[in-house]
Amino acid sequence: MSVRAPRWASLVVPVALAVADALLVNGVTPGLELNVSLVAAAALLLRRRLPLTVFLVTLPGILIGYVWFAPMIALYTVAVRRPDRRLLAFSALLLAIAHFVPWPVSDFEPTAYRENTLTLIDASVTSVGPIALGLLVRTRGELAARVEELTRSRRHADELLAQQVLSTERARLAREMHDVVAHQVSLISLQAGAVLISAEDGGAREGARTIRELSVRTLDELRHMVGVLRAAGGDLEELTPQPCLADLPRLIELSALDVDYEADYGEGVLEGLGQSEAVERAVFRIVQEALTNVRKHAPGARVRVRVSEADASGTSGASGTAGTAGASGTAGASGTAGASGAGEGVRELRVEVRNGAPDATASAPELPGGGHGLIGLRERAQLLGGTLEARPLPDGGFLVRATLPGATPAPRAADT
């Protein structure tokens, strides 16, 4: 695991090395050699912004002060930031000349072949080394950026492949749903239609009409769901109009259970809430799942469904229109409740489905179940910021109670 040095360290450390080089070579006594060496060292603070200018400023340091670090670091920066071949060749030539030519120039001895050859070799290494290192570091950075880009491209390709696989699986599920479910539901609808035409008993015809209506609704919802599964962007597709609180009486009526339904909530409990549609849909699904469980596990039991408004402390309010449904499940209006609620805080919507013990003489329908219904309802309630409780009752019945967030009610004028 590589550890990157802080930005200030990469800026200050080269300056410190150049200052130490100047002091070691020229001593601490002020003079021309020390001054130009210190100026060359200080100029390295600007080497990232003005690499070429800083390099030119450091040349007197090696020519007069005989310091190496400052010009070599400046040339390295030029190679990293300005990788132009002609510029680098010219910069290397300038550094080699500044290193090779002595100060003062009058001290140059053309006949000192051995010393001049060694100095030329040193000058060549001094000028070529920083450029080679700078180009190597730049190339490494470009390769790292290219590898990162390739990694992102590969990750994107993997995501596209996963989406393609998901789309293929979605289409396969859509075909299976259509082939397995739609055909059977269509047969149920046709049989119900035949009974509706041929039956003479009124109750039988009403039951056949209910079965036919449920079959048609199921086929319609299945058709929209199949369309979502087949679409590549299925999550963005709109489904058939979703159920709301106003659809509860019809749901109870079609359940063929002995249900007492009571609605005790104000029309404004969901106003101003961004997820009001999701809350209404969750209430509908909770009641739907609870009634399905009653049919499975408690045949013949009486059921009580109550949707009420409460404040955040849990106190129920009577701020809306109440309706009850008898054995047939048809909701009937019972007037407007008189109180407006206990407080002016955030209201909550509470739905409660309570059933008694099953009737021992009633036959239980053989309905399949996976045991995931209540788990899904609990997760739905938690996603909306609410809670769901499901537990058996001492009398052999069962209770499903959910509390979902509502809205802050607007103040209402007093009755006159």
Side-chain angles (χ1 to χ4, degrees), residues 225 239 242-243 275-289 351 372-388 402-405:
M225 183 59 67
L239 300 177
Q242 295 297 296
Q275 54 184 10
S276 61
E277 294 182 359
V279 171
E280 293 193 48
R281 186 163 59 249
V283 171
F284 184 92
R285 297 304 183 192
I286 290 171
V287 174
Q288 185 181 50
E289 178 66 21
V351 54
H372 304 293
L374 292 178
I375 297 177
L377 294 181
R378 184 174 288 108
E379 292 177 351
R380 182 192 290 265
Q382 291 175 353
L383 287 175
L384 294 174
T387 59
L388 185 135
T403 303
L404 301 172

Side-chain angles (χ1 to χ4, degrees), residues 32-257:
L32 178 62
E33 293 82 0
L34 181 61
N35 292 337
V36 296
S37 300
L38 293 177
V39 169
L44 294 179
L45 293 173
L46 302 176
R47 64 190 179 91
R48 291 176 177 172
R49 290 187 178 183
L50 305 171
L52 185 59
T53 303
V54 170
F55 170 69
L56 295 177
V57 172
T58 60
L59 289 179
I62 193 172
L63 176 64
I64 300 175
Y66 299 103
V67 291
W68 287 12
F69 281 2
M72 292 178 67
I73 293 174
L75 184 57
Y76 162 82
T77 306
V78 173
V80 172
R81 305 231 168 206
R82 302 283 181 84
D84 181 78
R85 293 184 178 180
R86 290 177 296 181
L87 177 62
L88 293 179
F90 180 71
S91 300
L93 180 61
L94 289 179
L95 181 58
I97 293 175
H99 189 183
F100 180 77
V101 176
W103 181 265
V105 181
S106 58
D107 293 343
F108 179 69
E109 296 181 4
T111 58
Y113 301 111
R114 183 174 180 275
E115 293 182 1
N116 292 339
T117 302
L118 293 176
T119 304
L120 181 61
I121 294 175
D122 291 340
S124 301
V125 174
T126 303
S127 58
V128 174
I131 294 179
L133 182 61
L135 293 178
L136 178 62
V137 171
R138 181 180 178 86
T139 303
R140 183 179 180 275
E142 292 177 350
L143 290 176
R146 183 65 60 84
V147 169
E148 184 178 357
E149 181 180 355
L150 291 176
T151 303
R152 288 197 303 266
S153 300
R154 183 174 181 178
R155 188 183 301 115
H156 181 64
D158 292 341
E159 292 176 356
L160 292 178
L161 180 59
Q163 292 178 2
Q164 183 179 0
V165 173
L166 182 61
S167 299
T168 303
E169 184 67 15
R170 185 184 292 118
R172 187 183 66 84
L173 289 175
R175 289 192 298 269
E176 291 185 0
M177 287 180 61
H178 183 272
D179 295 341
V180 176
V181 181
H183 177 68
Q184 301 295 335
V185 177
S186 300
L187 291 179
I188 294 174
S189 179
L190 290 176
Q191 294 294 334
V195 173
L196 181 62
I197 295 175
S198 61
E200 296 181 357
D201 181 68
R205 296 182 64 182
E206 182 64 26
R209 183 180 293 106
T210 300
I211 294 174
R212 184 175 177 82
E213 182 179 344
L214 289 174
S215 301
V216 172
R217 181 181 299 180
T218 301
L219 282 174
D220 185 58
E221 292 187 359
L222 178 62
R223 177 175 59 84
H224 285 277
M225 183 59 67
V226 168
V228 171
L229 290 174
R230 284 179 174 174
D235 293 340
L236 303 177
E237 294 288 335
E238 294 184 359
L239 300 177
T240 184
Q242 295 297 296
C244 59
L245 293 180
D247 298 321
L248 281 178
R250 184 58 177 167
L251 172 67
I252 294 173
E253 180 183 357
L254 297 175
S255 66
L257 296 173

